[in-house]
Structures are given as structure tokens and as C-alpha cells.
Amino acid sequence: MKGYKFTTEEAAQAAITSINLAAGLPKSPEAITQTWTSYNLAELNEPQFYYIRHDEFTESVLGEPDSLEVIFEEI
């Protein structure tokens, strides 16, 4: 998948803050939409890392995405 990789949760949170500021979110404390996107923990990967999935708007804020290999639990 294309996305952005972070070694700490704080770095992922800072990226989300930057994205939300660029998107003008939230519009108000009562707004339904509070954030443009979210981050996830790649907990089955070793070492673990945090990541944000790529989209065009996120790319306009964070720049060129990386190619990530995230291990998901089989269902």
C-alpha cells in the first residue's frame, strides 16, 4: 500500500494535526467530521510502526508517499 510511516505515535499524531490544519478541520467542536484521516499501528510487523494511508489530499500536505508492507491478521 502507499502511505506514510512513522516510528512514534507522536510523529503520526503531528502528521494528522498538519493534515487537519490544511483541511480546516474540525470546522467546529460539534462537527461530525473531526479529522481528515487517522493513523494505524502495524502491530504484526516487526518492528512495529505507525502509518497513514495515502490519498491525494494527504500527499499535498505530507509529500510523496512510501510503499509500505503492512502485515494484517488473516481472517
Side-chain angles (χ1 to χ4, degrees), residues 4-18 38-42 48-52:
Y4 304 90
K5 184 176 181 178
F6 306 92
T7 56
T8 66
E9 187 171 15
E10 292 78 15
Q13 290 170 342
I16 293 292
T17 298
S18 295
S38 60
Y39 63 89
N40 296 288
L41 175 62
Q48 294 181 341
F49 60 89
Y50 295 89
Y51 66 95
I52 297 172

Side-chain angles (χ1 to χ4, degrees), residues 2 6 10 17 24 33 39-40 42 44 58 60 63 66 70 72 74:
K2 289 169 59 174
F6 306 92
E10 292 78 15
T17 298
T33 303
Y39 63 89
N40 296 288
L44 297 180
T58 301
S60 74
D66 295 318
V70 178
F72 294 98
E74 292 187 36

Side-chain angles (χ1 to χ4, degrees), residues 13-70:
Q13 290 170 342
I16 293 292
T17 298
S18 295
I19 295 164
N20 289 339
L21 285 172
L25 293 173
K27 299 290 184 191
S28 73
E30 299 82 26
I32 293 173
T33 303
Q34 292 289 308
T35 186
W36 180 265
T37 189
S38 60
Y39 63 89
N40 296 288
L41 175 62
E43 57 189 323
L44 297 180
N45 286 67
E46 191 59 45
Q48 294 181 341
F49 60 89
Y50 295 89
Y51 66 95
I52 297 172
R53 291 178 185 254
H54 169 265
D55 65 50
E56 288 182 19
F57 182 77
T58 301
E59 183 174 340
S60 74
V61 177
L62 299 182
E64 193 68 29
D66 295 318
S67 179
L68 305 178
E69 291 189 32
V70 178

